[in-house]
């Protein structure tokens, strides 16, 4: 990989140990993927934040770094709401470690916005055509597919290295030739909003890391696209998809898959909730203001009978205090900075009902509890139903 003189000097350690280590990571990645050079990024989203996932070793690695990030950078969700962790049932030992991790990132100049929807709180962090170094798979998918920016799915260390250097190796989804659709998906069903997560769950399993091009009966809404991309990135590893009429076509002879109403119904039935559900959690990816509004409407005049968590970005909760108040009036809890998958607080339940194809794919493996799926209405019904 070609390096400029500045980059070469940083790699040789002439700009300090932290930059040397960051450059070492970027150069190693660039060499593995045959990148020709480093390119500047507009923003970075760093994964590897929850103490549940990175543990002591990760905390030590981050705490050792010195320096400042060169581009606007935010964090992925942490293992707890940074201020209401006691209400989540998080113990003090975990909380202290989690706060240490976030503080270590803050000391590098990274904003402690812990969210998988950085685009919702900082719309200028990613614009069409921008190169980014984002980590969280649903955010990566949204950036590539809905915003039209360009990012690979970075690991925690490579995103952090990109933030410190302000650049990333030019390979993968930064190159036009890797952004061509590889498979056609025809959706032969009228979809309601909750179907997009299920559709992504089905398609991700089929296409793995392909680039699907969808044909829909109607143009999906933004939150539907968010759910679709998140689920495909979890059940498969889709980082880019197309949904627009004027999107590039898949080359002639590309494989084609049709998803029918029957396919969706089968997955819905397979994952239907039952009496074992002892927690309901929505907001994967983090809830938008529109989704909070819908939940506030559905919960109006009701009381929850079991734990009901709504996960969102702190910036969104702060923007919508009345909605948060309305939702919490029912006994449901709006938690920020975290989510049901990366928080150890989920692990003490038996079965979690979710409205997200991504959470449906991840909860059993990462929380070691069972998962069930339903729409927002069904989630509210399950949360407010008396035993
Ligand atoms: Fe976000 Fe957690 Fe889901 S990081 S996409 S809410 S698994």
């Amino acid at each position: 990989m070609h390096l400029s003189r500045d980059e070469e000097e940083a790699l040789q350690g002439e700009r300090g140990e932290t930059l040397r280590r960051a450059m070492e990571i970027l150069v190693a990645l660039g060499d593995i993927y045959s990148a020709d050079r480093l390119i500047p990024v507009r923003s970075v989203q760093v994964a590897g934040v929850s103490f549940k996932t990175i543990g002591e070793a990760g905390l030590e690695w981050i705490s050792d770094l010195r320096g400042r990030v060169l581009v606007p950078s935010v964090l992925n969700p942490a293992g707890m709401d940074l201020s209401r962790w006691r209400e989540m049932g998080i113990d003090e030992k975990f909380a202290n470690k989690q706060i240490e991790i976030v503080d270590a990132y803050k000391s590098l100049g990274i904003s402690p916005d812990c969210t998988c929807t950085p685009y919702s709180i900082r719309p200028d962090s990613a614009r069409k055509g921008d190169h980014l170094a984002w980590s969280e798979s649903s955010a990566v998918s949204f950036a590539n597919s809905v915003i039209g920016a360009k990012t690979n799915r970075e690991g925690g260390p490579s995103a952090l290295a990109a933030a410190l250097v302000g650049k990333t190796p030019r390979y993968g989804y930064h190159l036009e030739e890797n952004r061509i659709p590889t498979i056609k998906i025809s959706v032969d069903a009228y979809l309601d909003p909750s179907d997009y997560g299920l559709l992504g769950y089905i398609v991700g399993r089929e296409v793995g890391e392909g680039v699907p091009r969808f044909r829909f009966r109607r143009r999906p809404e933004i939150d539907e696209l968010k759910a679709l991309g998140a689920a495909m990135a979890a059940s498969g590893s889709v980082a880019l998809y197309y949904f627009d009429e004027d999107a590039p076509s898949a080359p002639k002879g590309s494989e084609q898959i049709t998803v029918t109403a029957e396919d969706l119904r089968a997955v819905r039935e397979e994952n239907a909730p039952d009496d074992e559900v002892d927690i309901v959690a929505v907001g994967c990816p983090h809830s938008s203001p529109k989704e909070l509004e819908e939940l506030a409407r559905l919960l109006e005049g009701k009381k929850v009978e079991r734990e009901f968590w709504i996960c969102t970005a702190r910036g969104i909760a702060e923007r919508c205090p009345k909605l948060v108040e309305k939702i919490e009036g029912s006994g449901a809890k709006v938690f920020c900075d975290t989510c049901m998958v990366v928080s150890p607080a989920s692990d003490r339940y038996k079965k979690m009902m979710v409205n997200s194809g991504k959470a449906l794919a991840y909860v059993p493996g990462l929380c070691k509890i069972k998962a069930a799926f339903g729409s927002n209405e069904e989630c509210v019904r399950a949360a407010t139903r008396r035993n």
Side-chain angles (χ1 to χ4, degrees), residues 76-77 116 136 138 230 283-286 338-342 356 358 362:
N76 205 38
C116 49
E136 196 281 317
S138 80
C284 169
H286 276 170
T338 188
C339 83
M340 65 292 266
V341 171
V342 299
S356 149
K358 172 165 179 173
Y362 275 179

Side-chain angles (χ1 to χ4, degrees), residues 151-172:
T151 178
N152 290 319
R153 181 179 175 179
E154 301 292 343
S158 68
L160 191 49
L164 291 161
V165 175
K167 294 178 183 174
T168 194
R170 184 173 169 271
Y171 72 94

Side-chain angles (χ1 to χ4, degrees), residues 5 56 64 126 151 180 223 285 294 342 346:
R5 181 184 295 194
E56 282 292 348
D64 257 9
T151 178
I180 297 167
D223 286 329
E294 155 99 341
V342 299
S346 303

